[in-house]
Amino acid sequence: MKPRARVLLVATAALSGCTVGPDYRPAAPQELGVPANWSVPAANAQAQDLTRWWRSFDDPLLAELVEQSVVANTDVVQAIARLRQARESLIQSRASLLPTLSGSTGYQRNENLAGGGRSFTLPDGTVVDTGGGGSNSYTVGLSASYQLGLFGEVRRTVEATRATYEGAGFSYAATLLTVESELARNYMLARAYQAQLANARASLTLQDDNLEIAGFRVRAGLVSSLDAEQARGQRAQTAATIPSIEQQYNAAVSRLGVLTAQAPGAVKARMESVRPIPRGPAAIGVGIPADILRRRPDVRAAERNLAAASARIGVAQAALYPALAISGNINTAATSLGSLGDAITGSLFAGLTQAIFNGGRLRSQVRGARALADQSYAAYQGTVLLALEDVENAIVALNTARERERLFAVQLDAARNSAILARSQYRSGLTDFTTLSQQEAALLNAENGLVQARSDAATAQVALFAALGGGWDDTVIPEAPPRATTPENR
């Protein structure tokens, strides 16, 4: 190799190792404002596996619906498609690291249509004109080009698209968590509405008895018709709550159908059997606040977006420096296929371009990329703080719901005893109907209060599982699954 060529190759290799722009470093938890401990009392500071948290409620139908939603839900399908699209962008970006090769071939036939012929004189003196004849031409060529990326613009672009792809994977996982928690929450609400309907109908049965007793006592002249009217009004008031609860129940069950990518009424038959509100585990391992950086997919997606924005600073900065492109081609042309290799020509071109004047556009792009990175960092930090807020709010909501459940259980026991005594005393004429009505209203309120507290505890558990990042495998970066077969792409 000639010394001059060797020097050129060494210089090119040295320049190709020069990558401008900041080298990304993930922020430490302290830089993001993550405290060492929670500010609210956590039941269990030891983190636990929450990948399939819905199974801890020991409700087969709930588990079946959740697992159906993570496969079929339309939001999940869209997230998968976005992840696949990001993967293809990464593949296209990586292709820029390699040379581009293209080949060509051609065939041409020439014929003289007028003129250009030849004349022959036969032995007998006859002159014959003939055409000039035709000719064939064959060509074969191969060309190559390569953008060297002296200052790392190609590598930074690949770095950015890789981070974007990983961020799309975490966004897909975040969509899974949203769908799982929304389905579980609506399932808890549906069971709570079933319990409230049962309470209202049981109370309605008692009030039918009260109306009948009041009627007897009015006809016997023991009380005025006021008791009967009060009993009739109370019954109507209780009956009026039933359509409202049925409407709420229908909305919750319809939502279950849509979340599993079915028609709103698809799940109604499976939900008809009344079951109690599922009760989750007594304690949930919340870990320490820093665990959120790993377990929450939305936090990890925000971090990957920041990494991509940091890499794009390098892409913008590289545009300020020279760019080297190398291209070459090999060609051959012949009048027959057999002689294609007789004459081969080739060329090599290396071009170096440098921006001289652009009105400050390129430096403005660098400043814009830095501003986008600052914005991405603020978004990342905000996502982290919001995740911490979600966890602490869910812990407090769960603790208060359980305390309310304990107190409502005491209230229900007292209200049930009071209602029994009031009904017995009214039958014996020892109290008036107003007292009976008040005690039975208190009983219904206590029953519904206990149901609401249990529902709040269950939904708070669901919220805590989601806030902790449960519902996906946080030990791997989600990859794009193979393309599903649909009627449109078969």
Side-chain angles (χ1 to χ4, degrees):
M1 181 182 291
K2 293 181 178 180
R4 195 174 290 176
R6 186 180 295 111
V7 170
L8 178 61
L9 287 176
V10 171
T12 300
L15 285 173
S16 65
C18 180
T19 302
V20 298
D23 292 325
Y24 176 73
R25 177 188 64 83
Q30 295 79 7
E31 298 176 75
L32 298 167
V34 179
N37 298 294
W38 303 106
S39 66
V40 296
N44 186 354
Q46 182 65 39
Q48 64 187 71
D49 182 14
L50 304 178
T51 306
R52 299 288 184 270
W53 55 261
W54 50 85
R55 296 182 181 177
S56 64
F57 286 96
D58 196 24
D59 189 312
L61 181 55
L62 170 63
E64 182 182 345
L65 292 175
V66 171
E67 288 165 9
Q68 183 178 353
S69 71
V70 301
V71 175
N73 180 267
T74 54
D75 290 340
V76 172
V77 173
Q78 291 180 65
I80 291 174
R82 288 191 292 268
L83 180 56
R84 287 179 26 240
Q85 184 180 24
R87 178 186 60 190
E88 299 307 321
S89 296
L90 176 58
I91 293 173
Q92 295 165 28
S93 179
R94 283 174 174 169
S96 301
L97 295 170
L98 303 173
T100 299
L101 300 176
S102 59
S104 63
T105 183
Y107 165 73
Q108 182 177 340
R109 172 72 180 178
N110 296 319
E111 289 285 354
N112 290 324
L113 300 180
R118 291 178 295 173
S119 299
F120 295 92
T121 303
L122 299 178
D124 60 359
T126 304
V127 178
V128 179
D129 293 326
T130 63
S135 64
N136 296 319
S137 176
Y138 301 92
T139 60
V140 176
L142 179 67
S143 62
S145 62
Y146 182 48
Q147 187 74 28
L148 194 58
L150 295 178
F151 294 91
E153 61 267 30
V154 178
R155 288 183 294 280
R156 289 297 191 195
T157 300
V158 173
E159 181 183 339
T161 51
R162 182 183 296 111
T164 299
Y165 172 54
E166 292 172 348
F170 293 129
S171 295
Y172 157 63
T175 301
L176 285 180
L177 266 63
T178 299
V179 171
E180 291 162 359
S181 60
E182 186 178 358
L183 188 140
R185 185 181 65 85
N186 279 276
Y187 186 88
M188 305 304 179
L189 291 176
R191 295 306 187 192
Y193 294 139
Q194 285 181 334
Q196 290 178 355
L197 283 171
N199 291 340
R201 287 165 180 159
S203 181
L204 201 61
T205 300
L206 291 177
Q207 290 169 14
D208 285 336
D209 292 341
N210 293 341
L211 180 59
E212 185 177 0
I213 294 170
F216 289 152
R217 291 175 61 80
V218 169
R219 287 192 293 272
L222 301 176
V223 295
S224 69
S225 59
L226 177 61
D227 283 15
E229 293 302 318
Q230 285 181 330
R232 191 163 67 94
Q234 184 186 36
R235 184 195 181 283
Q237 182 180 8
T238 302
T241 64
I242 292 178
S244 177
I245 300 173
E246 289 176 335
Q247 181 269 325
Q248 293 172 305
Y249 170 76
N250 180 79
V253 176
S254 296
R255 189 68 187 139
L256 294 178
V258 173
L259 287 170
T260 52
Q262 302 178 86
V267 186
K268 289 182 178 179
R270 301 166 70 187
M271 290 291 294
E272 281 182 355
S273 178
V274 178
R275 299 192 60 180
I277 301 170
R279 302 179 71 88
I284 299 174
V286 299
I288 60 175
D291 291 337
I292 293 299
L293 300 181
R294 172 182 55 86
R295 296 171 67 167
R296 281 277 292 248
D298 57 338
V299 169
R300 296 181 68 174
E303 186 273 335
R304 289 290 81 197
N305 291 338
L306 172 59
S310 176
R312 291 190 183 99
I313 296 175
V315 176
Q317 284 185 332
L320 299 172
Y321 299 96
L324 176 62
I326 300 175
S327 61
N329 61 76
I330 299 176
N331 296 286
T332 182
T335 57
S336 66
L337 291 175
S339 60
L340 274 174
D342 293 348
I344 301 175
T345 61
S347 65
L348 178 66
F349 173 78
L352 194 66
T353 60
Q354 168 66 58
I356 298 176
F357 177 76
N358 49 68
R361 177 176 57 85
L362 295 181
R363 294 193 179 278
S364 176
Q365 289 176 349
V366 175
R367 293 193 296 271
R370 291 189 181 278
L372 179 60
D374 292 341
Q375 177 186 344
S376 299
Y377 180 82
Y380 176 37
Q381 185 179 28
T383 304
V384 170
L385 297 177
L386 181 60
L388 297 174
E389 180 186 12
D390 288 344
V391 173
E392 295 203 350
N393 286 345
I395 291 173
V396 173
L398 178 57
N399 291 339
T400 55
R402 284 176 169 171
E403 178 64 14
R404 286 169 46 230
E405 183 179 356
R406 184 185 68 82
L407 295 174
F408 271 120
V410 175
Q411 181 190 7
L412 177 59
D413 183 63
R416 185 177 290 117
N417 292 334
S418 297
I420 292 173
L421 291 173
R423 190 174 300 110
S424 175
Q425 290 176 353
Y426 181 70
R427 287 177 180 271
S428 303
L430 299 178
T431 189
D432 57 12
F433 187 82
T434 300
T435 301
L436 174 61
S437 175
Q438 291 173 345
Q439 295 304 318
E440 291 192 342
L443 173 60
L444 181 59
N445 288 337
E447 289 173 335
N448 286 336
L450 182 58
V451 168
Q452 187 63 55
R454 286 176 177 169
S455 174
D456 291 345
T459 54
Q461 281 184 316
V462 171
L464 181 55
F465 282 130
L468 291 172
W472 71 298
D473 186 357
D474 59 26
T475 62
V476 298
I477 298 175
E479 296 284 341
R483 185 184 185 191
T485 301
T486 64
E488 290 74 21
N489 59 36
R490 284 175 183 164

